[in-house]
Amino acid sequence: MNHQDINTLGELKATGYQSISIKDELRNNLINKLKQQETVFINIWGYEDSVIPELETAILSKHNINLLGLRGQAKTRLARLMITLLDEYIPIVKGSEINDDPLRPLSRYSKELIAKHKDDTPISWIHREERFFEKLATPDVTVADLIGDVDPIKAMNLKLNYADDRVIHFGMIPRANRCIFVINEIPDLQARIQVSLFNILQEGDIQIRGFKLRLPLDIQFVFTANPEDYTNRGSIVTPLKDRIGSQILTHYPKSIEIAKKITAQEATYLQEQKNKIHVPELARDIIEQLVFEARKSEFVDLKSGVSARMSISIFENLLSTAERRSLLNEETNTSVRVLDFLGTISAITGKIELVYEGEQEGADMVAQILLNNAIKTIFNTLFPEIKKLKKEGEASPYDALSLWFSSKDAVELLDDMDENYFKEQLDSIAPLTLLIKKYQPEISEKDIPFMQEFILWALSEYKILNKERFNTGFQFNDPLANYIKRI
């Protein structure tokens, strides 16, 4: 059926077109996709065995849906991807405010138009992209915004009194008839506004300024919300929850590999940066581990959550820090360094909510603690464990490195050090290279400088080395020698 050739109600009837509800439409198209083994919710990672099966079950059950989870858990994205389950085009009565089905008109306008023109009633077609409505719930949202109100200007122009239902101006929900309607952060909607949704969800009628209209609106509702124990601004009223068929809990990525996929997909990565800046896989691991550390930190308010947007912002800042350094040094190519993570502090502090202990430490300090913890965690997966206590005379894989620093001057790594000098400084520490060859022999040549620097940072966290910050960089030295100097 070519929709462009069908412009009247009679032509539509001649095709044998049959009306179905939007929930049946979603269900039928989902069934077809599942039978053909097609992926419905593309580019959503980590939900394959949890959220997505539950969401598909809710669609098959023709339920209105509430996606409940902390910020940055792809709730709105899941809702937006539901439009792929809609038919590409559907017919409406031309000029209808509420997308009237030509075979099942609801509004007075469409009923009168069909009664007058019968099979010659003009119809138009809307694409599935036009069938997605979204509203962020805020305290200032009114019933008039969502449901509708009496329009005095319309009454004046049409010379109608206020007893005539043609003076009604429909709100967002009636205008979303035969569409997916998403209300984000539903607990933020005032309780009295939530009450106005009861009849729409269950009985199929709406009330506007004394007009009780029997409009069985055909809408797929999707609500999103943070857990109610987090938001202090309100909650979903119990009768509304009772009318929502399925409540689905979302979650953060459960592994670094999944988190890396999300970051790589979502981060803004310009082609010129891609060509110019090498990002070692270990650097990507540190980014995601940092976010994992934040989600279990005693300094961070876990009820508010740590969004996946944090790792995306960190990655983008990391690239820009490396890019800035290369521009200052007039270099055509560079590689990300551990030092560059200091340029990501601003991406961290703005994405975490601190508890009292975190506020006492300060946001910048908490961000550095999270970075250091991430480095320690990953170091333990790549190199031998550093024992807090060891027997007298017991050898350690890091003895050679400790000995090297005890017999040499400090090594300084500057924030804006050029690539060649940076590598020379690290290569001068011979035990570093030997350590990598022994425990990470398959590492690529391009990643060695980052791994060398990473080891220095990790060992300084375990007090095997001493790390001191000065205005333009870090100094690594022997902790005992530094202690003797202070004496």
Side-chain angles (χ1 to χ4, degrees):
M1 180 173 70
N2 189 345
H3 72 276
Q4 293 176 333
D5 299 331
I6 301 168
N7 300 304
T8 66
L9 177 57
E11 291 171 348
L12 181 67
K13 288 178 179 177
T15 66
Y17 175 83
Q18 293 184 336
S19 301
I20 62 171
S21 71
I22 186 171
K23 288 185 169 70
D24 283 318
E25 187 183 337
L26 290 165
R27 173 185 160 82
N28 294 344
N29 289 329
L30 176 58
I31 288 171
N32 291 334
K33 285 182 179 288
L34 291 176
K35 284 180 178 179
Q36 295 169 20
Q37 304 292 310
E38 289 184 35
T39 301
V40 179
F41 298 94
I42 58 171
N43 296 329
I44 297 289
W45 308 106
Y47 285 172
E48 296 85 354
D49 301 317
S50 54
V51 175
I52 289 175
E54 292 181 15
L55 183 54
E56 290 174 345
T57 299
I59 293 170
L60 292 174
S61 299
K62 300 196 292 186
H63 283 175
N64 291 315
I65 298 163
N66 182 30
L67 296 171
L68 184 68
L70 297 173
R71 55 184 175 176
Q73 291 185 351
K75 299 187 293 296
T76 305
R77 170 164 291 197
L78 282 169
R80 287 174 180 166
L81 285 172
M82 285 175 64
I83 64 172
T84 62
L85 294 173
L86 296 173
D87 293 340
E88 187 173 8
Y89 286 95
I90 62 166
I92 66 168
V93 176
K94 192 169 186 177
S96 167
E97 289 183 273
I98 61 171
N99 300 324
D100 274 303
D101 184 337
L103 302 183
R104 296 177 183 173
L106 297 181
S107 70
R108 177 169 175 169
Y109 163 83
S110 294
K111 287 177 181 178
E112 290 180 349
L113 192 68
I114 292 172
K116 180 179 179 180
H117 296 286
K118 297 185 171 52
D119 283 354
D120 291 328
T121 302
I123 66 170
S124 57
W125 297 79
I126 57 173
H127 191 261
R128 58 184 164 216
E129 295 286 346
E130 301 174 71
R131 298 174 63 196
F132 182 87
F133 285 71
E134 187 176 350
K135 178 64 178 172
L136 176 63
T138 55
D140 62 336
V141 172
T142 65
V143 173
D145 294 332
L146 292 180
I147 311 299
D149 204 347
V150 170
D151 187 347
I153 296 175
K154 184 185 284 189
M156 182 181 67
N157 289 339
L158 297 177
K159 295 182 172 57
L160 300 171
N161 63 49
Y162 288 149
D164 194 312
D165 62 10
R166 284 175 291 179
V167 304
I168 291 174
H169 172 79
F170 290 113
M172 288 187 70
I173 291 177
R175 289 173 183 274
N177 184 38
R178 304 173 73 201
C179 300
I180 297 170
F181 191 87
V182 178
I183 301 182
N184 284 313
E185 306 301 339
I186 185 70
D188 287 350
L189 209 59
Q190 293 182 53
R192 63 184 181 85
I193 311 300
Q194 294 183 39
V195 169
S196 70
L197 301 176
F198 290 177
N199 280 21
I200 295 173
L201 287 172
Q202 196 70 41
E203 285 79 17
D205 59 69
I206 61 174
Q207 295 183 25
I208 300 173
R209 293 286 183 182
F211 291 101
K212 185 176 180 181
L213 304 177
R214 182 65 185 169
L215 288 180
L217 296 171
D218 182 21
I219 300 173
Q220 171 66 59
F221 280 99
V222 181
F223 305 99
T224 73
N226 281 334
E228 291 180 50
D229 60 345
Y230 159 60
T231 176
N232 295 319
R233 294 158 293 188
S235 60
I236 307 176
V237 297
T238 305
L240 180 60
K241 280 199 290 189
D242 185 52
R243 286 165 165 78
I244 300 171
S246 293
Q247 179 168 281
I248 299 168
L249 301 180
T250 58
H251 56 80
Y252 288 121
K254 295 180 180 179
S255 72
I256 283 182
E257 292 307 315
I258 292 172
K260 284 197 295 185
K261 279 186 180 181
I262 296 170
T263 302
Q265 175 180 285
E266 300 300 322
T268 303
Y269 200 171
L270 301 177
Q271 190 60 42
E272 59 184 293
Q273 291 178 318
K274 192 171 185 178
N275 296 336
K276 185 176 186 177
I277 304 165
H278 173 64
V279 183
E281 202 62 28
L282 180 55
R284 298 176 188 269
D285 290 342
I286 292 173
I287 292 172
E288 305 306 339
Q289 187 60 47
L290 191 157
V291 178
F292 276 56
E293 296 292 337
R295 288 177 186 148
K296 63 182 182 182
S297 172
E298 61 182 344
F299 300 121
V300 177
D301 184 358
L302 304 184
K303 289 182 180 179
S304 75
V306 179
S307 170
R309 299 182 193 95
M310 185 163 99
S311 54
I312 296 165
S313 296
I314 292 172
F315 181 76
E316 291 169 348
N317 268 17
L318 192 65
L319 289 178
S320 298
T321 304
E323 183 179 32
R324 177 183 176 277
R325 186 187 65 250
S326 68
L327 292 171
L328 291 174
N329 292 321
E330 299 181 350
E331 295 172 328
T332 55
N333 292 286
T334 190
S335 178
V336 162
R337 303 172 187 172
V338 179
L339 269 168
D340 294 334
F341 274 89
L342 296 181
T344 71
I345 297 297
S346 59
I348 301 170
T349 55
K351 293 287 193 297
I352 52 176
E353 299 288 336
L354 302 179
V355 295
Y356 176 76
E357 292 80 0
E359 296 286 357
Q360 294 298 104
E361 290 285 343
D364 283 12
M365 182 57 67
V366 170
Q368 292 183 46
I369 290 170
L370 296 176
L371 172 60
N372 293 336
N373 289 345
I375 289 172
K376 285 173 68 176
T377 301
I378 293 177
F379 180 83
N380 291 332
T381 67
L382 301 175
F383 293 95
E385 178 188 2
I386 297 176
K387 297 179 181 178
K388 291 183 179 179
L389 298 172
K390 61 177 183 177
K391 298 175 183 177
E392 188 176 346
E394 183 181 356
S396 165
Y398 311 105
D399 286 344
L401 199 53
S402 296
L403 185 61
W404 189 93
F405 272 95
S406 65
S407 60
K408 302 282 185 180
D409 291 331
V411 172
E412 291 185 350
L413 300 178
L414 307 181
D415 296 341
D416 297 327
M417 186 181 285
D418 68 68
E419 203 72 15
N420 291 332
Y421 189 47
F422 180 75
K423 290 179 180 177
E424 284 177 15
Q425 286 288 89
L426 291 171
D427 288 340
S428 69
I429 310 171
L432 267 183
T433 306
L434 295 174
L435 198 65
I436 292 170
K437 283 182 178 179
K438 182 173 181 180
Y439 294 104
Q440 296 296 323
E442 297 180 1
I443 190 172
S444 68
E445 192 71 27
K446 292 176 74 174
D447 290 355
I448 288 178
F450 187 90
M451 181 69 80
Q452 290 171 320
E453 187 189 9
F454 168 76
I455 293 170
L456 295 181
W457 277 68
L459 295 185
S460 70
E461 288 304 307
Y462 283 105
K463 311 304 179 188
I464 292 175
L465 298 178
N466 183 61
K467 178 177 89 229
E468 290 184 80
R469 176 69 179 169
F470 55 96
N471 286 340
T472 58
F474 278 98
Q475 184 184 86
F476 293 88
N477 54 33
D478 176 53
L480 187 59
N482 193 54
Y483 173 73
I484 292 172
K485 284 179 184 176
R486 287 200 297 269
I487 293 177

